[in-house]
Amino acid sequence: MNQSKSKRELYDQLAAQLASLLAGERDLIANAANFSSLIFHSLPDLNWAGFYFAKDGELVLGPFQGPPACVRIKIGQGVCGAGAAKFETVIVPNVHEFPGHIACDSASNSEIVIPLMKHLRLLGVFDLDSPKLARFDQEDAAGLEQLVRVLMSSVS
Ligand code: SME
């Protein structure tokens, strides 16, 4: 089995697990908390996985797994703020080369941010950090976007 197939399979398996984990619950915080735990404990080489929610024009820390993180991020600032400003997934192979990167944990070397969109509105972002350089690729982007869609359809 090649590496790319196994990554695709892992995301498909996670999407199925997530659908049953979130079934019957529509609370965003509860589902986001279980979402971050499932991802953090299922994907290799992560040191942080969690949410920032859009509130009053900035991003505010939500449920996460990993060490304590910065609480407020301006839209457009850092990797999270870039994903929120563009409404699109941002992959950063080396955070030390990203202008304005916000270093919450010195162990982080690469990062991916997926915006959370519901009814064409930005609800926030899901952020993953890794101690490995270039940990995230287009397949991770597609897989994580699929998982975020499951989360978004679980909430009102
Ligand atoms: N590195 C992020 C900040 C959030 S932490 O990684 C948890 C950024 O540049 O937006």
Side-chain angles (χ1 to χ4, degrees):
M1 191 186 297
N2 63 35
Q3 173 64 32
S4 103
K5 187 168 180 205
S6 67
K7 205 181 247 194
R8 181 68 261 156
E9 282 177 348
L10 175 58
Y11 281 112
D12 283 344
Q13 196 187 333
L14 280 174
Q17 268 179 276
L18 189 63
S20 61
L21 187 63
L22 307 185
E25 180 52 65
R26 303 201 68 78
D27 185 86
L28 176 60
I29 299 296
N31 286 354
N34 267 337
F35 184 105
S36 60
S37 176
L38 179 70
I39 304 295
F40 188 75
H41 293 286
S42 304
L43 294 182
D45 303 313
L46 301 181
N47 59 317
W48 203 85
F51 291 88
Y52 282 89
F53 292 122
K55 282 184 191 164
D56 302 327
E58 60 184 353
L59 296 170
V60 182
L61 185 63
F64 69 93
Q65 300 276 309
C70 27
V71 176
R72 288 175 189 269
I73 297 175
K74 293 198 182 342
I75 305 285
Q77 188 187 34
V79 185
C80 290
K86 292 183 189 164
F87 302 145
E88 61 187 39
T89 298
V90 178
I91 299 174
V92 180
N94 182 349
V95 296
H96 309 291
E97 293 175 352
F98 187 92
H101 168 252
I102 302 159
C104 293
D105 181 351
S106 60
S108 299
N109 282 313
S110 63
E111 184 162 355
I112 186 168
V113 168
I114 297 97
L116 313 174
M117 304 297 297
K118 181 87 183 168
H119 305 313
L120 301 175
R121 270 190 52 229
L122 178 83
L123 288 195
V125 298
F126 182 58
D127 179 29
L128 290 165
D129 284 18
S130 174
K132 263 181 93 174
L133 284 167
R135 158 68 182 79
F136 307 104
D137 60 17
Q138 287 303 330
E139 236 177 341
D140 292 292
L144 291 164
E145 285 165 4
Q146 176 189 7
L147 298 180
V148 162
R149 279 196 295 276
V150 175
L151 174 66
M152 289 296 94
S153 64
S154 78
V155 296
S156 315

